[in-house]
Amino acid sequence: ATPMSVMVGVGKAAEAGVLIRNGEALQTASKISAMILDKTGTITLGAPKVTDVLVAGEHDEQAVLRLAATLESGSEHPLAMAIVESAQERGIEMGKVSNFNAIAGHGVQADVDGKTLLFGNEKLMRERTIELGDFVEKAQALAAEAKTPMYFAVDNKLAAIIAVADPIKEDSIAAIKRLQHNGIRVVMLTGDNRATAKAVAEKAGIKEFFAEVLPEEKSKKVQELQMEGEVVGMTGDGINDAPALAIANVGFAIGTGTDVAIESADITLMRGSLHGLADAIAVSKATLRNIK
Ligand code: ADP
Ligand code: MG
């Protein structure tokens, strides 16, 4: 495309809230054959809320939430924010944390009130040989409702499952349909567990998804699709997504996402809506048509 037509295209996209950082990305966008979408904060609002607290044995719900929220006050993960907010809403006062440790893609651990706390996914609990009993089925039932269940252990014994829900953005389903109508293979990628991912993908109208993807594995998924011959678009909002955004043929960042994601991407969707993807592709196609 001529520099002039690219400039016009960049301007048109900007009117739709799609910020294009380089002309090359604008030209490649029309060739995207597969679009990878991160789940949390990209397809969903990224603002999870606590929906269920299921305590084990004699544990008290308020006491469990206090410990869990105290532990999570050291984490910046969206799931952590949900736990802390939920405790605050109930007027629970936080305790003191020591030996805090975040286990990427798995959960968090720390000491509170002389107790050893562990909070995270099933894999983390299995690795630490925490007995889960019939709470596995309870977690599965919550996951089937598209909620994310997390296991909470106190002194190496299961104390509760706390589940959060993160609703799909109102217009994600329609925006995903637009991509599919363009013949684009839409793939969802998430660190979340398989059952939750399946439920969210179904709601969003996505047939293909990869779950339990560790942060460092996200960019590998982009490469895998590229090796299958796809021209890959990647859309994400998190620090986790940055390497994948950088390696994709075209990286799209959600405007409300982290700075690292925005800096790693070629295009920023300022309105946070996935409609920006089909908009960018349409502008790209129009730009290339103009030069012929
Ligand atoms: P996502 O792609 O959903 O942001 P992550 O890779 O960050 O996923 O985390 C994967 C899983 O690890 C989460 O779904 C959750 O079960 C667990 N996890 C991660 N961080 C935390 C945390 N701070 N507290 C509890 N669980 C966590
Ligand atoms: Mg995300």
Side-chain angles (χ1 to χ4, degrees), residues 38 40 72 75 77 79-80 105-108 119-121 148 150 190-192 213 215 218 240:
D38 159 61
T40 312
E72 291 283 25
S75 166
H77 201 282
L79 291 171
H106 291 84
V108 285
F119 198 18
N121 59 17
T148 296
M150 289 167 284
T190 180
D192 208 343
V213 180
K218 282 195 171 182
N240 286 354

Side-chain angles (χ1 to χ4, degrees), residues 89-120:
E89 275 163 20
R90 298 180 192 213
I92 294 170
E93 300 251 339
M94 253 40 105
K96 267 216 174 77
V97 194
S98 55
N99 299 322
F100 178 84
N101 190 9
I103 309 140
H106 291 84
V108 285
Q109 67 180 72
D111 298 334
V112 175
D113 295 351
K115 296 181 174 77
T116 304
L117 308 182
L118 187 66
F119 198 18

Side-chain angles (χ1 to χ4, degrees), residues 38-42 218 237-238 241:
D38 159 61
K39 175 175 78 73
T40 312
T42 300
K218 282 195 171 182
D237 68 319
D241 302 316

